[in-house]
Amino acid sequence: MKRGILAAVTTLAVAGLGLWSSVPGYAAESVYYNYDDALKGAPQGVDLSSDDYKDYFWNGDNGVATVGGNMAKVVEAGSPSGDKNSAIQISKASRQNSWGAIWSKKTVFDLTKPETASMWIYASTEQQYLKDWGIGDGMAFVLQNSKDGVNAFSKATTLDEGKNDVVTPGVGESMGVWGMDPEDWNKTQLSDNAIDHSWALEFDTFGNDFNPASFSSQWDLNDRAPSSFDLGKYYNSFDDSSGNPNTDIGGTIPSGENHIASNYPGSPSTYTSDNWSGIKTNIWGKTALGGSIWYYPQRIIPNYLAQYYYYKMTHLGYLDEGKNADATTDKMTDHRWHHVTLTYTPPTNGGSIGKMKYVYDDKNSDTGQPKEPANEATVPLKLDEFKQDEQDNWDHKVRWGFTGSTGKNTENNLVVFDQVPGDVENNATATLSTQNVDSDDFTAVDTSSTPTIPGGTAVKLDYTFSRSGGIQPWKDINASLTIPKSITLTSGTLTTPDDKTSKVDISKRDGTTLPVALGSDDKGYTIADQSTGHITLYGTIDYLGDATSDVSEDAAVSYFNGSNASAQAELPAFNVKASSLTMTIAPEESTLGVDYNVSGQSAQIVGQAKFPYGTAAGAAAMTSDDITIHLEVNGTRESKPLTTILVNPSLDPWVFIYPVDNSLLKEGPNKVSLYSTSKSGERSNIDSTTVTAGSVGFGDISEDLVFTPTVLSGATTTIERSNDWSFYIDDSRKSGDWYLSAKTTGMTLKTAADTRLDGDLIYVDSNNQTQVLNDDNATLIDSGSANNGEDKQTNIAADWKPDQGILLRVNGSAMQGDYTGVIHWYLSNTP
């Protein structure tokens, strides 16, 4: 006998109201043509206005203020998730000759540990300013251990005609971090004007490629000031163990090309001087005796000529705007948000050179999901560049921040962080394992070289995500896993760091992407301590080729994204080996239905171990003696030699019937899988079918049984159901009858469980005969019979008229109120 529980509820003189909500979708990556729209459409990032960050940044007056002062500030941004969101403004369109700098107040970037900075950048301008001036100059992500601390900014001190000190900020091509060209005819060490003890990654949106040497006669500095940084070389290969570029492979920056590159602003080797004949109306310079004087050369000698210096800059780890640099989709200034990820790896074995990898445009700005990056580079990071001379016991921690500037041209420079450097130390890993034959055990693939895995092999994908330190919890983490296209997933489990386990919904896989919600709500999971979570996926490798050669799978990078940090995990690349074995199950010829727990009734699976067959398909080199058939059902694995289960060996050496013993089956549907292996190590695909161990039981129930809200009149009243109720009995047996009965203890007041309703639940049959449901004797409600193994579903309420079936009879003395009760259902094979 089986027993089910279903609630019945009713409301007297009460009406209800339902509310519905919807979730907006996203289209292609969006464009924003002005500052306000760019902020409103910002991707989700870290809320920098929260208590966690209210004292984190410095963005004050550092002594180089021009009109308007420091443009850098934290501003409120829109949020696709509905949470609070922030952006850092570095510069704003229409503000010429402006500067901006924002720094972490503390030295939180630890060069002895792995660090990640993950951010969205927006660098564009409104059409009106583009038409009047142009776009420029850009911004830079900076790591610095400057003697100026938070006041660090490229600047030069000169004298005016009154011999007064004038502090000139590094606007224009310097972006506030690189050295400044003083427009002097004397050679200058530009690194003296830059941020000392620093490394910068520039996002350069203006080509500073004016070349004075292109003038046939003389260069008029009054007409065109020096602006030549981007005439310098760039280097993308670093073969020297000291971190110096291989100068044999340097390239020249294309004219006017927006770009990303890095170097050490305070290092003299970053800049190269050159000179050309030119004129200038007046200039501060040095006399032959070493003194200083303000020259007015043209007042004395018209068209006075001198050799003036201009400067080029070396660009390390140079990136153009990617594979589609001529298209709008990869350009920094295309009115879109672009994602940048910086990953720092500290030195190993006591060395002093780490590595910094930066990846451009690696996420979709509307969805936040990973995409193929537009470009990337890895450069050495020399820790000695950051150490001040007097810092004998330096802790190797530096500030991080952004600088930016405009000149005549202007733009909106905005940054949204989805991982703040130094906040969270985290990690993620991914491991690919293959299942041993006829075993529950898996063995991790050997990644010392690209492994080759036979098609049809069962595999396990293990992912871990952990927090190892930092000053903040790793907040609101969710996973976006990249599954190799040749792997078909069959199941998965998630174990959170607090050891709670749940199933992974593999049906959410879209192509090669599988999103996994790690928390119990849409906000993800937060790790506050040093702990680790796990995701385990199971599946099989499918051969996707033409069976003549191996198929290659690239390494697959998965992402664990939180509100303040993210981590990546990479599955190794592998090859899928072609096989002449195939497994094909013929369900239409198999016996796939048996009664549950009946000894002697076995399912008979008809299959074919190899197709096509014949000499051309390799049959001459392989016989049925070489092949073993493997079964998996409900966690049990067994195998049989093909020769022992062949249907007719003399006519067909590959067609077999595999008997599945009844004892291996659970009640209801059973997934039965078969594959084959050969003595030479080949493996077929896995094919599966469903064997039903027939039974009778409760099926779907639409919802609670609800009765029509009714105003009591003082007379005995029979109340009908208010909902279109359904209750199914499922019967998949070959033969037998079933009987459904019901009991109840009646209805009680919701607000006072000891107050019973003065009335009864009743059952009115098709002959209009009425029976009162009580707790003493079960009332027969319906009956039915099996249909020879076919799955038969009977809705017991399908034929109930409004005045038939389960109804509620209320006596005249009943009290008005909300009542609820429980009906106990009993299913048996005897009346």
Side-chain angles (χ1 to χ4, degrees):
M1 176 180 291
K2 299 184 179 181
R3 175 178 173 180
I5 297 178
L6 175 69
V9 297
T10 186
T11 302
L12 303 181
V14 176
L17 177 66
L19 299 176
W20 295 86
S21 63
S22 61
V23 179
Y26 291 101
E29 291 188 67
S30 303
V31 294
Y32 305 98
Y33 291 102
N34 59 64
Y35 176 88
D36 291 336
D37 288 345
L39 274 181
K40 291 177 184 176
Q44 185 62 49
V46 178
D47 178 18
L48 300 178
S49 66
S50 67
D51 290 342
D52 292 337
Y53 295 100
K54 65 180 180 180
D55 295 320
Y56 190 93
F57 292 106
W58 176 96
N59 61 322
D61 182 355
N62 61 12
V64 298
T66 56
V67 176
N70 191 347
M71 293 296 297
K73 59 182 178 180
V74 176
V75 294
E76 184 177 349
S79 170
S81 69
D83 298 323
K84 296 193 70 174
N85 197 20
S86 300
I88 298 175
Q89 171 193 290
I90 308 298
S91 61
K92 194 171 183 180
S94 80
R95 302 299 296 271
Q96 294 178 302
N97 297 312
S98 68
W99 67 276
I102 189 166
W103 301 108
S104 60
K105 288 183 179 179
K106 298 179 180 179
T107 53
V108 295
F109 197 104
D110 192 338
L111 296 172
T112 67
K113 298 178 180 178
E115 297 276 10
T116 299
S118 181
M119 69 200 78
W120 299 92
I121 63 170
Y122 178 87
S124 292
T125 192
E126 283 83 350
Q127 183 63 34
Q128 67 212 61
Y129 307 126
L130 187 64
K131 180 180 67 175
D132 294 340
W133 304 315
I135 192 166
D137 276 83
M139 56 183 167
F141 173 82
V142 185
L143 301 177
Q144 55 99 341
N145 187 35
S146 171
K147 295 178 180 178
D148 292 333
V150 295
N151 292 315
F153 201 82
S154 58
K155 52 185 176 290
T157 302
T158 58
L159 298 178
D160 62 13
E161 292 184 67
K163 297 186 178 181
N164 299 307
D165 286 346
V166 176
V167 178
T168 304
V171 297
E173 69 180 358
S174 78
M175 296 184 211
V177 66
W178 306 112
M180 296 170 55
D181 191 332
E183 301 181 28
D184 194 344
W185 65 57
N186 297 283
K187 187 175 180 180
T188 303
Q189 189 63 268
L190 259 62
S191 58
D192 293 343
N193 301 326
I195 294 181
D196 62 294
H197 302 95
S198 67
W199 174 86
L201 177 67
E202 68 170 10
F203 302 94
D204 195 337
T205 59
F206 182 82
N208 301 106
D209 54 3
F210 171 63
N211 190 351
S214 63
F215 281 72
S216 59
S217 56
Q218 63 188 35
W219 167 30
D220 184 352
L221 277 75
N222 300 302
D223 178 58
R224 191 73 180 270
S227 177
S228 308
F229 277 6
D230 296 333
L231 293 174
K233 292 283 187 179
Y234 71 84
Y235 301 93
N236 284 333
S237 178
F238 302 90
D239 298 332
D240 189 334
S241 61
S242 67
N244 297 318
N246 182 340
T247 55
D248 294 334
I249 49 81
T252 302
I253 299 176
S255 176
E257 182 72 72
N258 294 347
H259 57 267
I260 301 169
S262 63
N263 213 326
Y264 306 97
S267 173
S269 63
T270 298
Y271 313 95
T272 303
S273 63
D274 207 341
N275 62 78
W276 194 252
S277 176
I279 62 172
K280 187 171 175 62
T281 301
N282 51 63
I283 192 166
W284 182 263
K286 295 179 180 179
T287 67
L289 299 177
S292 298
I293 188 171
W294 190 270
Y295 281 88
Y296 303 92
Q298 290 201 72
R299 293 183 184 178
I300 302 171
I301 304 174
N303 296 325
Y304 177 84
L305 291 176
Q307 292 295 311
Y308 291 93
Y309 281 86
Y310 59 98
Y311 301 87
K312 304 172 184 179
M313 193 177 85
T314 301
H315 293 66
L316 304 182
Y318 171 87
L319 301 182
D320 60 20
E321 291 163 307
K323 303 175 181 64
N324 303 317
D326 294 331
T328 60
T329 52
D330 286 317
K331 289 192 174 294
M332 281 189 288
T333 57
D334 62 358
H335 304 283
R336 290 177 171 87
W337 286 91
H338 294 281
H339 194 266
V340 179
T341 302
L342 292 94
T343 306
Y344 170 70
T345 303
T348 57
N349 301 324
S352 62
I353 300 178
K355 292 189 297 184
M356 182 69 82
K357 177 181 179 181
Y358 41 91
V359 183
Y360 170 66
D361 212 28
D362 56 345
K363 291 184 182 181
N364 181 290
S365 59
D366 285 330
T367 65
Q369 293 301 302
K371 67 178 185 181
E372 183 179 0
N375 216 334
E376 63 182 58
T378 300
V379 299
L381 200 65
K382 295 184 281 188
L383 274 58
D384 290 344
E385 291 284 347
F386 296 95
K387 183 179 180 297
Q388 299 177 22
D389 293 340
E390 63 276 12
Q391 288 184 317
D392 295 331
N393 296 314
W394 179 43
D395 62 4
H396 291 82
K397 292 182 179 180
V398 297
R399 285 184 175 82
W400 70 270
F402 263 89
T403 64
S405 63
T406 63
K408 178 182 177 181
N409 300 328
T410 70
E411 67 189 18
N412 299 309
N413 282 138
L414 298 167
V415 182
V416 170
F417 272 94
D418 52 2
Q419 182 169 354
V420 175
D423 263 13
V424 178
E425 297 169 15
N426 59 1
N427 187 45
T429 64
T431 304
L432 174 63
S433 302
T434 57
Q435 187 177 31
N436 303 330
V437 175
D438 290 340
S439 171
D440 292 333
D441 297 331
F442 287 80
T443 301
V445 299
D446 182 0
T447 57
S448 59
S449 60
T450 303
T452 297
I453 305 172
T457 301
V459 292
K460 180 174 67 169
L461 286 63
D462 286 304
Y463 301 87
T464 67
F465 56 99
S466 60
R467 177 187 178 276
S468 57
I471 61 176
Q472 294 285 341
W474 189 7
K475 300 176 181 178
D476 307 330
I477 317 161
N478 282 307
S480 177
L481 306 182
T482 302
I483 311 300
K485 60 182 179 295
S486 65
I487 294 181
T488 298
L489 297 179
T490 55
S491 65
T493 58
L494 162 67
T495 302
T496 54
D498 58 356
D499 290 329
K500 293 181 179 178
T501 301
S502 60
K503 291 184 178 180
V504 173
D505 187 355
I506 60 174
S507 68
K508 291 185 177 181
R509 177 176 177 175
D510 183 8
T512 59
T513 301
L514 174 64
V516 180
L518 303 183
S520 57
D521 52 32
D522 293 336
K523 293 185 177 181
Y525 191 89
T526 295
I527 307 177
D529 55 2
Q530 295 185 12
S531 56
T532 301
H534 303 267
I535 297 174
T536 302
L537 303 177
Y538 294 91
T540 57
I541 293 196
D542 300 321
Y543 183 73
L544 303 178
D546 58 6
T548 60
S549 60
D550 295 349
V551 173
S552 298
E553 283 278 16
D554 293 332
V557 179
S558 295
Y559 298 82
F560 292 82
N561 295 324
S563 61
N564 64 336
S566 63
Q568 301 177 15
E570 184 177 87
L571 281 176
F574 60 90
N575 298 319
V576 182
K577 181 177 176 57
S579 174
S580 61
L581 290 178
T582 59
M583 174 58 64
T584 305
I585 292 176
E588 68 281 359
E589 299 178 27
S590 303
T591 303
L592 302 179
V594 297
D595 286 342
Y596 172 65
N597 203 23
V598 176
S599 178
Q601 281 195 28
S602 62
Q604 304 291 310
I605 311 291
V606 177
Q608 192 172 55
K610 192 175 187 298
F611 183 84
Y613 50 88
T615 304
M622 183 184 297
T623 69
S624 54
D625 291 327
D626 297 321
I627 296 177
T628 300
I629 307 299
H630 304 266
L631 167 76
E632 180 178 353
V633 56
N634 298 325
T636 297
R637 294 179 179 85
E638 64 177 35
S639 60
K640 297 181 184 295
L642 175 60
T643 53
T644 64
I645 55 175
L646 288 173
V647 175
N648 194 330
S650 61
L651 295 178
D652 193 326
W654 311 111
V655 175
F656 62 86
I657 296 179
Y658 199 113
V660 181
D661 193 87
N662 196 289
S663 64
L664 301 179
L665 303 174
K666 60 182 178 61
E667 183 179 1
N670 296 261
K671 181 180 179 181
V672 177
S673 300
L674 296 175
Y675 70 94
S676 62
T677 59
S678 71
K679 291 179 181 179
S680 62
E682 289 186 87
R683 182 167 179 157
S684 77
N685 61 295
I686 298 175
D687 200 7
S688 302
T689 190
T690 299
V691 172
T692 301
S695 61
V696 61
F698 296 112
D700 291 336
I701 303 174
S702 58
E703 56 188 350
D704 286 346
L705 183 59
V706 181
F707 297 98
T708 304
T710 304
V711 178
L712 300 180
S713 63
T716 298
T717 304
T718 298
I719 301 174
E720 297 177 355
R721 299 173 300 280
S722 66
N723 56 339
D724 187 13
W725 186 67
S726 60
F727 184 180
Y728 285 88
I729 302 299
D730 292 346
D731 192 353
S732 56
R733 298 171 301 165
K734 285 183 171 293
S735 61
D737 299 322
W738 57 262
Y739 300 88
L740 180 67
S741 303
K743 285 184 178 183
T744 183
T745 57
M747 309 282 281
T748 59
L749 194 63
K750 279 187 177 181
T751 56
D754 56 348
T755 301
R756 296 176 58 82
L757 173 67
D758 188 4
D760 299 293
L761 287 165
I762 60 174
Y763 173 67
V764 179
D765 63 21
S766 59
N767 296 320
N768 293 320
Q769 298 297 312
T770 299
Q771 299 181 68
V772 176
L773 273 62
N774 56 55
D775 197 36
D776 295 329
N777 299 301
T779 300
L780 181 63
I781 304 297
D782 207 341
S783 63
S785 58
N787 188 26
N788 196 30
E790 293 186 11
D791 193 7
K792 180 180 179 182
Q793 297 179 327
T794 302
N795 180 7
I796 66 164
D799 297 328
W800 289 357
K801 297 178 180 178
D803 58 352
Q804 293 177 344
I806 304 293
L807 303 173
L808 180 62
R809 185 169 62 193
V810 180
N811 298 326
S813 58
M815 294 175 54
Q816 191 162 289
D818 293 345
Y819 290 86
T820 184
V822 175
I823 299 174
H824 297 270
W825 299 92
Y826 298 87
L827 184 62
S828 64
N829 57 8
T830 57

